[in-house]
Amino acid sequence: MDLDWQAFYTSIMPIIPAELASDLTVLGTFVVASCAVAARFWPRPAEGSKWLGLYNLVNHLAMNSRHAANADDTKPTKN
C-alpha cells in the first residue's frame, strides 16, 4: 500500500482544531525526546525481568533501533 502522507495530513487537518493539533505535537515531541534520553542511559534489563517490557516500549518510542549507540545491548562491554 502506497500512502501519500501529504494528502493524508491535508485531509485530516481541517477536522482537528488548531489548539488540539499544537498540543498533541508538543506532547508527542516531549514523549519521544524523554524516551530518547531515558533510552540513552538505561541499560537493558535481564531476560525475564519485569522491567523488560517497559524498556522495550521506551526504546520503541525513542526510535532507538538499528544505528543507535545502545541499540544492541546484548554486546559484551569492555572494562
Side-chain angles (χ1 to χ4, degrees), residues 1-72:
M1 182 171 126
D2 189 23
L3 182 63
D4 182 14
W5 288 104
Q6 187 174 12
F8 173 73
Y9 285 125
T10 303
S11 64
I12 202 82
M13 286 310 289
I15 300 169
I16 300 172
E19 299 84 22
L20 181 60
S22 64
D23 290 345
L24 290 176
T25 301
V26 168
L27 183 61
T29 303
F30 175 76
V31 167
V32 170
S34 299
C35 287
V37 169
R40 168 65 180 90
F41 295 104
W42 190 4
R44 181 179 179 86
E47 286 297 322
S49 171
K50 65 180 181 178
W51 296 104
L52 190 57
L54 180 61
Y55 173 83
N56 288 332
L57 177 66
V58 167
N59 272 304
H60 189 70
L61 288 174
M63 299 175 205
N64 191 21
S65 62
R66 285 207 215 155
H67 304 294
N70 65 338
D72 187 11

